[in-house]
Amino acid sequence: MDQLPPSPPPHAKSWSIHTRPEIIAKYEIQERVGSGAYSDVYKARRLSDNLIVALKEIHDYQSAFREIEALQIVQNCPNIVVLHEYFWREDEDAVLVLEFLRTDLAAVIKEGKKNGGIGVSAGEIKRWMMQILSGLDACHRNMVVHRDLKPSNLLISEDGILKLADFGQARILMEPGFVSTAMDENIQPHEENPVNQQEVVPSAENVPQINTSPIEVQSNLEQGVVKGSESFRESGESKTYDYLDETSFRDGDTSCLATGTASDMGDDFMRSTYNYETDEVDNERYGLLTSCVGTRWFRAPELLYGSTDYGLEIDLWSLGCIFAELLTLEPLFPGTSDIDQLSRIINVLGNLTEQVWPGCLKLPDYGTISFAKVENPTGVEACLTNHSQDEIALVKKLVSYDPAARATAMELLRDEYFSKEPLPVPISELRVPLLNSGQDEDSPGRYDDYPDRDSDSDFDDFGGPMNIRSTSTGFSIQFS
């Protein structure tokens, strides 16, 4: 098998962002507003017009490639963060110039808890939801799967516009037959918000070739979209996707549960972007998908069971968890480990069986990890006490074991829930928090308030008893 060229060191750069002439000639760097192992974010002023922007310096070349590629494809949606331009030359970190957004949905939820029990009004919740759905619909119409949706990645402008951000884990999925077609058509972007490539993109030896002519996207929900993505669900069955990626190499069969073994990735694994010192993530350089993506509390069951054959539907599960948290101001499934996360989901939805999800037996870890029979699952209703049937129904349309049963963003935008009283408030009436929810590592205006949320398969965090037994293929673990 051909070998992919080795990746550059995590911090391969010849000089600091403060002294890179192509950047300081255009921007005045004011302060660092976020820092992590794999990226740093600076608040800056564009000298030509005094526009305040965020400069995101990404030390991981693969994450930088994915974020640029995804943002180019969905750039003109009003509910996607704006990528103004980027700088990237060989042996240098990529620097993305993004619009500066100072707060996020996590801050809205945090503020809601402080309002003496008033929380977030129903009309505000509906408007926030509709903006999230609009942004996600733009992604999915263009076959972009975000893979890390959570409140802290939903940034908010001062005037109440919500925007999906942090596409470092995003992948481009294409139905078979459409992978080359979309890119070969070389459709030019809309003239507004052009994305400019500055300086020299690193050579193919170090970085995959980037398509610098973005696919045209459609932010108007009533108009056409990119060929091949009119609908990602035309039947009751889950589709199999090809993926538009930087190489044609294969990925390993990677599972967060490591087929029954405790993960050695540690608490910091997904705290910002990819860590190519770990075998699991390094495998994803070869093209296929890995199950170790996203933040645990919002991670779909197929990922927790080790699937590497998933699609856009994993974002829909995350969306259901976000909506539930927006309604209750508390996380829906706050697992302390991957096993605990699965246990919490099963206690609410019941055991995972072929009856509720045809084909679940094929999940890589289904035969390795099992739970005692839950006789009386609590149901989503118990998690949304004192909420209307319409609100409960909305969450249940997303928090479904079977990916094919999850409602799409477009279907939800048309849901009667949003046309009932109380109606969504105008964006101008949304209460936007003045402060961020807390310092985060790697995104402008993106702040996290989710402890114990990252990839961690430590069985010690699961409080219940477990039974380990040998099998013909290794061992299995039953939790009760």
Side-chain angles (χ1 to χ4, degrees):
M1 177 176 171
D2 294 335
Q3 295 295 315
L4 189 69
S7 10
H11 294 272
K13 52 185 176 181
S14 59
W15 58 74
S16 165
I17 187 175
H18 294 277
T19 57
R20 289 171 65 168
E22 72 277 20
I23 296 177
I24 62 175
K26 300 181 70 173
Y27 298 94
E28 176 190 67
I29 301 173
Q30 297 181 342
E31 61 178 324
R32 188 168 66 177
V33 295
S35 181
Y38 304 105
S39 67
D40 295 284
V41 180
Y42 300 85
K43 182 179 180 181
R45 178 178 65 88
R46 190 163 64 187
L47 298 177
S48 62
D49 59 2
N50 293 323
L51 178 69
I52 299 299
V53 298
L55 302 182
K56 183 175 182 179
E57 184 181 29
I58 305 176
H59 312 312
D60 170 19
Y61 83 102
Q62 188 85 344
S63 181
F65 167 80
R66 287 180 175 152
E67 185 149 10
I68 292 170
E69 182 184 43
L71 285 176
Q72 284 183 327
I73 291 176
V74 296
Q75 188 56 189
N76 295 288
C77 173
N79 297 112
I80 303 289
V81 67
V82 173
L83 172 64
H84 294 294
E85 61 179 335
Y86 64 91
F87 301 84
W88 206 357
R89 63 165 66 234
E90 192 168 352
D91 297 326
E92 290 295 335
D93 289 338
V95 176
L96 280 59
V97 182
L98 302 161
E99 65 177 317
F100 186 83
L101 299 166
R102 61 180 176 82
T103 192
D104 55 35
L105 194 68
V108 171
I109 293 170
K110 191 172 183 178
E111 281 294 306
K113 294 180 181 180
K114 297 179 180 178
N115 290 338
I118 299 175
V120 185
S121 73
E124 287 180 290
I125 288 174
K126 288 184 178 181
R127 181 56 65 189
W128 292 127
M129 286 181 174
M130 291 185 72
Q131 293 193 80
I132 300 169
L133 288 168
S134 176
L136 188 59
D137 179 66
C139 291
H140 287 186
R141 279 171 165 255
N142 289 281
M143 308 309 290
V144 175
V145 55
H146 187 283
R147 302 205 301 179
D148 193 20
L149 288 177
K150 56 185 175 181
S152 58
N153 282 344
L154 303 173
L155 306 187
I156 300 171
S157 68
E158 292 184 7
D159 53 3
I161 305 296
L162 181 145
K163 305 199 176 197
L164 275 61
D166 201 344
F167 284 76
Q169 295 190 42
R171 293 292 292 273
I172 317 302
L173 305 177
M174 287 292 176
E175 297 175 38
F178 290 108
V179 175
S180 61
T181 302
M183 300 306 288
D184 290 344
E185 287 176 353
N186 198 27
I187 302 173
Q188 294 299 314
H190 293 294
E191 292 186 1
E192 65 270 21
N193 291 335
V195 178
N196 299 318
Q197 175 188 348
Q198 296 294 327
E199 294 301 316
V200 180
V201 177
S203 68
E205 293 183 357
N206 293 319
V207 176
Q209 289 299 311
I210 294 178
N211 174 28
T212 56
S213 297
I215 296 176
E216 179 173 321
V217 307
Q218 184 55 60
S219 59
N220 187 328
L221 299 179
E222 300 302 321
Q223 298 183 9
V225 296
V226 173
K227 180 179 180 182
S229 60
E230 287 84 356
S231 170
F232 72 88
R233 187 183 300 120
E234 296 174 355
S235 67
E237 300 180 355
S238 296
K239 285 196 173 183
T240 299
Y241 298 98
D242 290 334
Y243 33 88
L244 190 59
D245 199 49
E246 57 274 16
T247 75
S248 59
F249 298 104
R250 295 186 60 238
D251 190 23
D253 292 331
T254 307
S255 165
C256 284
L257 296 178
T259 56
T261 63
S263 171
D264 62 356
M265 286 181 282
D267 292 338
D268 293 332
F269 171 61
M270 289 309 298
R271 199 148 289 170
S272 55
T273 53
Y274 296 109
N275 177 358
Y276 285 102
E277 295 178 356
T278 62
D279 291 339
E280 281 86 353
V281 183
D282 191 62
N283 282 335
E284 189 164 306
R285 296 167 58 216
Y286 297 99
L288 289 183
L289 300 173
T290 173
S291 59
C292 288
V293 293
T295 303
R296 184 192 307 121
W297 291 1
F298 308 92
R299 190 179 296 148
E302 55 264 41
L303 298 177
L304 293 166
Y305 273 105
S307 175
T308 59
D309 184 25
Y310 53 82
L312 301 167
E313 296 88 356
I314 66 167
D315 286 344
L316 300 174
W317 174 277
S318 301
L319 197 63
C321 297
I322 292 169
F323 284 0
E325 185 167 348
L326 193 54
L327 289 164
T328 65
L329 306 180
E330 297 293 340
L332 181 60
F333 301 119
T336 58
S337 68
D338 288 339
I339 294 299
D340 184 54
Q341 188 72 24
L342 277 172
S343 175
R344 290 172 185 267
I345 293 171
I346 288 170
N347 283 333
V348 172
L349 300 185
N351 293 91
L352 179 57
T353 66
E354 282 281 329
Q355 286 68 43
V356 297
W357 181 3
C360 69
L361 296 181
K362 298 178 182 178
L363 291 169
D365 288 317
Y366 186 86
T368 304
I369 307 296
S370 61
F371 292 83
K373 183 174 176 56
V374 177
E375 298 291 346
N376 297 299
T378 61
V380 173
E381 294 84 352
C383 303
L384 297 172
T385 55
N386 302 320
H387 287 277
S388 70
Q389 288 302 311
D390 289 334
E391 291 169 331
I392 293 170
L394 187 76
V395 174
K396 290 177 73 173
K397 289 175 182 178
L398 293 164
V399 182
S400 163
Y401 274 134
D402 187 356
R406 296 171 198 160
T408 68
M410 174 55 74
E411 289 169 348
L412 290 180
L413 279 168
R414 295 169 175 166
D415 196 284
E416 63 179 2
Y417 167 72
F418 294 105
S419 60
K420 290 183 176 180
E421 296 285 348
L423 295 175
V425 303
I427 290 177
S428 60
E429 294 182 15
L430 289 169
R431 291 173 292 173
V432 179
L434 295 177
L435 301 174
N436 298 292
S437 57
Q439 188 67 36
D440 190 24
E441 300 95 341
D442 66 339
S443 277
R446 195 195 101 188
Y447 298 87
D448 251 325
D449 196 25
Y450 297 95
D452 296 323
R453 68 199 183 281
D454 297 305
S455 181
D456 174 18
S457 298
D458 187 355
F459 297 149
D460 292 338
D461 285 341
F462 180 76
M466 57 182 168
N467 177 38
I468 304 176
R469 62 184 181 85
S470 299
T471 67
S472 59
T473 58
F475 63 90
S476 67
I477 305 175
Q478 182 175 28
F479 297 88
S480 54

